[in-house]
Amino acid sequence: MQMKELKQEYEQAVIALMNLNEGEEFEVNITDRTIAGLMMCKRLDRIGDALEDISSRIAEACDRLQGVEETLDSCVCDNGNNHFLCITGNISTN
């Protein structure tokens, strides 16, 4: 994003926050530091979105693993000190 676009975006944000009408005059000092802060906020927003996406994917994986665990509970044999996974099924050949 270019500096000019960031300044315009910052001005639009100020207009919205101050409830100004379009074209109403206002004075705001937009410095390079202000633009740098806006750029950092945009990056933080992207990082936040990525973290939310990661969180939802982890939650989905946990749900799937819970289902696998529940399925395997009936397949585990316990003889005291050892646990065995019993796998059964049919194999057919033509």
Side-chain angles (χ1 to χ4, degrees), residues 25-42:
E25 301 241 351
F26 69 96
E27 186 177 324
V28 64
N29 185 15
I30 303 174
T31 64
D32 290 341
R33 188 175 187 163
T34 304
I35 299 301
L38 182 60
M39 290 173 66
M40 288 174 55
C41 287
K42 287 182 157 293

Side-chain angles (χ1 to χ4, degrees), residues 54-65:
I54 290 168
S55 176
S56 67
R57 289 176 188 231
I58 289 173
E60 288 174 13
C62 287
D63 290 343
R64 290 181 185 160
L65 288 174

